[in-house]
Amino acid sequence: MVTSDSLEFIVQRFFNPDDTPETDPVGAGNINDTFRVAFEQAGKTHSWLLQRLNHQVFTDPEAVMHNIRLVAAHLSRQPDFPLAVPAPLPGLDGRLLQRDAAGNYWRVFPFFENTYAPEQLPDAAVAFEAASAYGRFLGALRDCSAENIRETIPGFHDTDRRWEQFLATVREDPAGRVIGVSAEIKLLHDLKPVFDEVSSLKRSGALPLRVVHNDTKAGNVLLDTATGKAVAVIDWDTIMPGTVLSDFGDMVRSFTPDVVEDVAGPVHLRKEILDALTHGFLETTEDFLTDTERRHLLLGARWIIGEQALRFLTDYLAGDRYYKIRYPEHNLVRARNQLALFAEL
Ligand code: GN1
Ligand code: MG
């Protein structure tokens, strides 16, 4: 966790405040640590989002900020882009990343007041609005050249590679957990043909390489609390060259279940939410998606739900090294939920 000394030091680096501002943890991210920093000035509160970047996961923090800066500039050049751009705030020395004594990397973003992230079982209207926002976001990136964007996590959606890592972890069984999850391991083997189908589609060159978000979960879009309208797409760390199939897939994965990702099921897929996502996404992407992309959106959902089951189970077997966990079987529960959702889809 983060010490209050370190937090205070970093706040100085960005704001040099006279008084110590209030800092509270916010959000439900599985990788980074996020805080709201609130300043009182003349009876008014001004808030910012302060975040510690997990540099075990993002081993090249400068590459992450390079991408974010580039994408922010790209979107800001488009007067009709309908969403807010969460451009990072430089520290007092002009750098976007500040390091504390322990070697952690910190950055600051705008805090959007009166918004919420629809993580708690969103209804169809919310799903439609969120999918439209993600669609517009991707549309605004359609002419952003993939060559200038760095790979912040190499092989992030290289499922063949993740499959090899899974097999190796099962073989080595470092936490002695394989014996308890043979049913789940078998289910992953059963869904392997979906991974193969995606891999061969990618290899065939039939899918355009685009700059995509890669983490389009329900927690990464902010909606206005009063009007329900989308305000911003956030969490840009995984923006990388890839395919829209995974962005649509991650929406289906995170919006459609009737139980949140972290709570033990039974999980069911809500068909009306799938329909709403599909409508919202197709409506805002019709002018640039290719036929091949459109026809394979559901394959994208099966892929990403399966891949996420693979990732969660691999991490459980590895002894919980990647995702933050809040209880001992957390990763296993997460993996089971994805497997159940896959079966329903
Ligand atoms: C992680 O940090 P967060 O919660 O936005 C993960 C995503 C997973 C997601 C599952 C860099 O996202 O890929 O889909 O958890 N991010 C990274 O909830 O691995
Ligand atoms: Mg993320």
Side-chain angles (χ1 to χ4, degrees):
M1 268 329 287
V2 181
T3 65
S4 60
D5 274 5
S6 155
L7 260 181
E8 219 166 281
F9 170 77
I10 284 304
V11 166
Q12 288 292 338
R13 289 286 190 95
F14 282 99
F15 304 103
N16 194 19
D18 300 331
D19 298 316
T20 311
E22 297 235 343
T23 50
D24 303 298
V26 290
N30 293 327
I31 308 290
N32 299 323
D33 297 313
T34 313
F35 303 85
R36 175 188 182 148
V37 183
F39 298 94
E40 283 293 321
Q41 261 170 5
K44 282 189 112 185
T45 309
H46 301 272
S47 297
W48 294 89
L49 204 87
L50 173 67
Q51 195 172 52
R52 185 178 75 117
L53 186 72
N54 181 330
H55 63 278
Q56 259 87 46
V57 168
F58 296 100
T59 52
D60 186 352
E62 295 294 346
V64 174
M65 300 317 283
H66 163 91
N67 287 355
I68 291 177
R69 200 189 292 117
L70 215 119
V71 169
H74 186 87
L75 297 179
S76 301
R77 279 196 294 272
Q78 300 178 42
D80 53 351
F81 180 62
L83 301 169
V85 174
L89 176 90
L92 297 173
D93 63 0
R95 290 168 199 263
L96 297 182
L97 281 174
Q98 302 288 330
R99 285 189 95 176
D100 64 19
N104 292 308
Y105 293 83
W106 296 82
R107 69 256 171 99
V108 168
F109 294 104
F111 184 90
F112 297 106
E113 300 284 357
N114 306 315
T115 64
Y116 76 104
E119 291 163 296
Q120 302 296 323
L121 312 182
D123 66 18
V126 169
F128 179 87
E129 180 66 16
S132 307
Y134 278 129
R136 291 204 174 88
F137 186 83
L138 291 172
L141 289 178
R142 63 198 275 191
D143 56 354
C144 179
S145 156
E147 276 159 45
N148 300 325
I149 296 288
R150 304 209 185 131
E151 220 182 343
T152 54
I153 300 183
F156 191 57
H157 281 310
D158 180 346
T159 318
D160 295 339
R161 188 157 134 186
R162 290 195 181 276
W163 183 258
E164 291 308 319
Q165 287 161 353
F166 163 67
L167 294 183
T169 311
V170 171
R171 232 176 7 250
E172 288 155 25
D173 195 14
R177 290 175 169 179
V178 165
I179 187 153
V181 296
S182 44
E184 288 77 10
I185 292 175
K186 159 94 172 49
L187 287 172
L188 281 176
H189 279 273
D190 292 347
L191 63 76
K192 174 77 164 48
V194 172
F195 300 153
D196 295 338
E197 192 179 344
V198 171
S199 295
S200 79
L201 196 61
K202 282 184 181 175
R203 271 196 305 274
S204 75
L207 295 172
L209 191 71
R210 301 181 185 277
V211 176
V212 296
H213 184 282
N214 284 313
D215 193 8
T216 50
K217 60 192 219 181
N220 284 338
V221 55
L222 297 180
L223 307 182
D224 187 295
T225 321
T227 65
K229 290 281 161 224
V231 173
V233 166
I234 57 166
D235 192 358
W236 293 8
D237 299 341
T238 50
I239 291 182
M240 279 181 270
T243 158
V244 293
L245 266 55
S246 57
D247 276 4
F248 184 74
D250 223 352
M251 284 179 229
V252 176
R253 187 188 78 70
S254 61
F255 283 85
T256 63
D258 64 349
V259 173
V260 294
E261 176 175 311
D262 303 287
V263 173
V267 174
H268 296 289
L269 184 144
R270 298 176 298 161
K271 173 75 166 58
E272 73 278 14
I273 305 296
L274 177 58
D275 292 342
L277 292 173
T278 309
H279 279 143
F281 193 69
L282 285 179
E283 207 174 275
T284 48
T285 55
E286 62 180 356
D287 56 335
F288 69 94
L289 284 200
T290 65
D291 272 352
T292 311
E293 288 174 314
R294 235 174 264 131
R295 273 188 288 113
H296 290 96
L297 289 179
L298 267 186
L299 174 67
R302 298 170 76 217
W303 167 35
I304 288 305
I305 295 167
E307 186 191 81
Q308 194 72 69
L310 181 75
R311 293 174 63 191
F312 284 145
L313 196 71
T314 305
D315 198 36
Y316 177 71
L317 293 175
D320 308 312
R321 291 154 166 273
Y322 186 88
Y323 297 104
K324 287 183 202 167
I325 55 163
R326 289 186 291 280
Y327 57 94
E329 307 247 287
H330 198 161
N331 272 320
L332 179 56
V333 163
R334 286 165 166 157
R336 284 185 177 144
N337 282 350
Q338 299 301 312
L339 289 168
L341 194 63
F342 182 91
E344 292 243 326
L345 188 59

